[in-house]
Amino acid sequence: MFIATLIASGSLDAGDISSAMDRLAAAGCAPGAQGWIDEGVAADLIFGMAPDAARVALEGAFAGTDVVVQPSFSRTKALLIADMDSTMITVECIDELADYAGIKPQIAEITERAMRGELDFEAALDARVALLKGLDERDIARCLAERVTIMPGAKALVRTMRARGCVTILVSGGFTRFADPVAKEIGFDRAIANVLRIADGRLAGTVAKPIVGSDTKLATLEAAVAARDIAIEATLAVGDGANDLAMIRAAGLGVAYHAKPIVAEAAAARVDHGDLTALLYAQGIARSEWVLE
């Protein structure tokens, strides 16, 4: 059996649910039961076959509504691997750091192209960091305090999953000076990110090697699965950029979060409208069960 979860950024009503069931029937998905997770906000539709057809039938059919289609048996997740920039936080840290050097447009253009998959991530990171050479180390702390904002729903997602015994790992192509405090504030078990080299209180223009990129994100997922004996179906990976593609494709549920087109097209599920609590609804967890503090 399969579950299609409808998650509204606005509201759903009984008519929407009825229409969705009709769409599943017309697509040959053999719909069965349906029910609210949180009335007006999120609902589950149970069906028996053709999950790809179900996704096509439902995605985009209801304004402001995200759709997650998955097998019912593997809905509960035991491992969360998450990107940081533009996923768990609202900004790209390297772009904001570049603003303190007066070169944000130049850096941001490279970042955007790398996240769209147009540039090699590691080479693009080296190039951007080189442009930051000489920036005062104190600007890192300023940037963290002044620019970095936690993404809506991030704390509820991570803290609720941890409370249920899930392993949660933040894996960022950004920098430890941001990822470590962000992971601590949100509630991740641990964080993995790149190390900016500092010399005499200023950025040296280089990062420690090997660079944390796509391969590291995938390897982190695979290592956690092996270490904890977790079924791959019980894993969840979420990100927005091209360097997240490998882990998103490998996970039991790979989610493109407000993502670049190359990621949105490849992911098994997309969150285009809601915040990160959509990933709790995707697991059938009602608001009354969320851990908020």
Side-chain angles (χ1 to χ4, degrees), residues 13 98 103 108 111 132 137 150-151 164 169 182 190 205 212 264 267:
D13 58 32
I103 55 171
T111 300
L132 295 176
E137 179 184 10
I150 303 301
M151 188 70 72
R164 290 168 167 258
I169 307 173
V182 164
R190 61 190 177 101
V212 175

Side-chain angles (χ1 to χ4, degrees), residues 35 61 68 81 145 156 212 228:
V68 177
I81 305 288
V212 175
R228 302 295 185 110

